Amino acid sequence: PESEAVRGIMSSGCRIHLEHSRKDETGDDTRSSMATKTVFYKRIVFAHLDHARAKLRTAPHKLVRDVKSYQVETSWFASKACQQVMKDAGLLIPQCYDAVLRPDNDSPIDSRFSLLLQDFAPSDGWSQRWLLRDPIECRATLAVFAKLHAYFWKGSNFWNQDEAAKELRDGVWESGSYVQPALQTKNQCLQVEEGWKKNREKCRMQLEELPYWDTLGTRLQQVTTKAGIRAHPFHSSVAENYHEEVRKEFEPYMTFTHGDPKQANVFFRSKTNSDENKQLEVGLIDFQWSGFGLAATDIAHHITAAIHSDCLEDGGEEALLKYYYKELTHNLVQFGASDSN
């Protein structure tokens, strides 16, 4: 139905209802609503998308990037790594039933993709939030990210499987994250001061009383390039001595990251387990920007893009970070990346 269709700036999608029929004793087809299932169909035809056509004119390198992002997502869904982290860590990630990839590297605007995915449907109890405001939901989501990060942490048991490890390395971004500077506009980090001048009025109410209000753009630009490298230290295209030093510094903390952990990519479902206790399940979707990086960067992205400020005030942010760290250290031991000491 139209009410269950989505038309985004870079993709379209819809929920498809499947009804299974069977023969009755007279040989006629009968349909049972009890057998009805849903799947989610995601379709990307760049030439039909205004936003993609605009990118072709103003930022063609981003269109090339977007083509690769859909290849990354389908590679992840099909990987042994994805299947294993669902089985071993209990992560809930949609199964990909089918994918059609038609990238056009010579003319990226003519690329097209489609995916048929397991549906986190309301009829199965799944729901989303505009922003996360319930501390229980915030902690449940952080616990899931802690499992994801710990499972693929450098030195974990996963990396003893040469074939699965190579498949993962070859299939996802070398340096993941939608906000990875190398995947954004060239020299973006050198345009922060100018950007701040154009947009500062939007922040006047919240920031004007701070002592650095008048110099914030200048101060940010002075640290942005190095901060970007430290937050995303594993991209090989940045050939600077400083970058190599940072890469070596953070190498022990490398892991697989979701890359776009905003609230729109998180689903919730309450279930009652065998002991009649309610259990909150968290499902993750959209792995276009997944790849290698730092857990801290993934969590910082999640907190700023998914959690309501009410949960961060009066010590709330510190409490959530401590909870994530507790879950991470527990799972690092469980998945062999650290000993119990």
Side-chain angles (χ1 to χ4, degrees):
E2 178 65 27
S3 62
E4 295 182 305
V6 178
R7 292 176 176 84
I9 62 173
M10 286 302 291
S11 67
S12 299
C14 66
R15 175 166 292 118
I16 299 175
H17 293 255
L18 306 175
E19 290 184 334
H20 298 271
S21 63
R22 62 175 179 266
K23 302 287 185 181
D24 62 16
E25 56 273 11
T26 66
D28 294 329
D29 286 340
T30 61
R31 291 183 177 181
S32 170
S33 60
M34 296 297 291
T36 301
K37 289 285 187 179
T38 63
V39 293
F40 193 81
Y41 178 67
K42 182 177 179 181
R43 180 176 181 264
I44 306 96
V45 180
F46 285 157
H48 295 176
L49 300 168
D50 292 341
H51 193 64
R53 292 197 297 271
K55 282 185 181 180
L56 182 63
R57 295 191 302 271
T58 61
H61 67 286
K62 287 189 175 182
L63 204 57
V64 174
R65 172 203 69 180
D66 293 343
V67 168
K68 182 177 178 180
S69 76
Y70 290 108
Q71 295 171 302
V72 165
E73 183 172 39
T74 52
S75 293
W76 161 250
F77 282 140
S79 69
K80 295 180 179 65
C82 181
Q83 306 311 310
Q84 289 180 14
V85 76
M86 288 194 289
K87 177 177 178 290
D88 297 342
L91 264 61
L92 297 174
I93 296 168
Q95 182 178 348
C96 183
Y97 301 121
D98 189 41
V100 177
L101 307 180
R102 296 178 182 169
D104 191 327
N105 295 324
D106 295 325
S107 178
I109 193 66
D110 293 317
S111 299
R112 53 181 61 207
F113 308 90
S114 68
L115 295 90
L116 191 66
L117 300 166
Q118 177 186 357
D119 187 20
F120 289 156
S123 58
D124 287 331
W126 290 102
S127 61
Q128 289 181 284
R129 309 288 180 266
W130 170 238
L131 283 174
L132 277 61
R133 304 186 73 147
D134 184 339
I136 295 175
E137 293 179 346
C138 292
R139 289 194 294 271
T141 308
L142 289 171
V144 167
F145 284 122
K147 288 182 178 180
L148 178 71
H149 296 151
Y151 192 84
F152 295 107
W153 201 273
K154 187 178 179 69
S156 73
N157 296 332
F158 171 79
W159 297 105
N160 296 327
Q161 306 169 71
D162 293 341
E163 184 179 343
K166 183 179 186 305
E167 180 187 48
L168 181 61
R169 288 193 189 97
D170 291 346
V172 301
W173 291 101
E174 170 195 38
S175 180
S177 179
Y178 179 74
V179 296
Q180 155 66 263
L183 299 180
Q184 299 301 321
T185 303
K186 188 177 181 181
N187 296 324
Q188 179 173 270
C189 292
L190 303 179
Q191 300 168 7
V192 173
E193 184 173 10
E194 190 61 32
W196 169 248
K197 289 177 182 177
K198 294 178 180 178
N199 293 283
R200 58 180 261 160
E201 289 305 315
K202 299 175 184 177
C203 307
R204 180 176 290 278
M205 183 180 296
Q206 291 78 17
L207 302 178
E208 186 178 20
E209 294 184 3
L210 297 175
Y212 46 78
W213 162 255
D214 290 321
T215 60
L216 182 57
T218 303
R219 289 158 61 95
L220 286 172
Q221 183 154 316
Q222 289 172 348
V223 300
T224 298
T225 298
K226 287 189 175 182
I229 293 173
R230 292 185 70 83
H232 308 275
F234 305 124
H235 197 277
S236 61
S237 67
V238 184
E240 298 179 10
N241 290 335
Y242 174 76
H243 179 269
E244 287 304 315
E245 292 174 6
V246 173
R247 184 185 182 96
K248 291 177 182 176
E249 177 185 351
F250 288 111
E251 193 89 33
Y253 311 107
M254 180 188 286
T255 187
F256 174 83
T257 61
H258 180 279
D260 194 14
K262 60 189 179 185
Q263 93 292 342
N265 294 331
V266 180
F267 283 73
F268 297 96
R269 177 169 69 175
S270 293
K271 291 196 74 175
T272 303
N273 61 23
S274 57
D275 297 325
E276 297 300 315
N277 294 319
K278 283 196 172 182
Q279 177 183 357
L280 183 63
E281 294 183 324
V282 178
L284 300 179
I285 66 166
D286 197 348
F287 286 81
Q288 287 175 239
W289 308 103
S290 61
F292 296 102
L294 299 175
T297 302
D298 220 23
I299 293 302
H301 187 167
H302 174 67
I303 288 176
T304 56
I307 298 179
H308 196 280
S309 60
D310 289 352
C311 296
L312 306 177
E313 297 173 349
D314 300 322
E317 181 177 2
E318 183 179 2
L320 290 176
L321 289 174
K322 286 182 176 179
Y323 179 80
Y324 168 78
Y325 182 74
K326 176 176 73 71
E327 291 293 309
L328 178 67
T329 52
H330 168 76
N331 284 288
L332 286 172
V333 174
Q334 181 176 349
F335 298 126
S338 176
D339 59 40
S340 58
N341 296 320

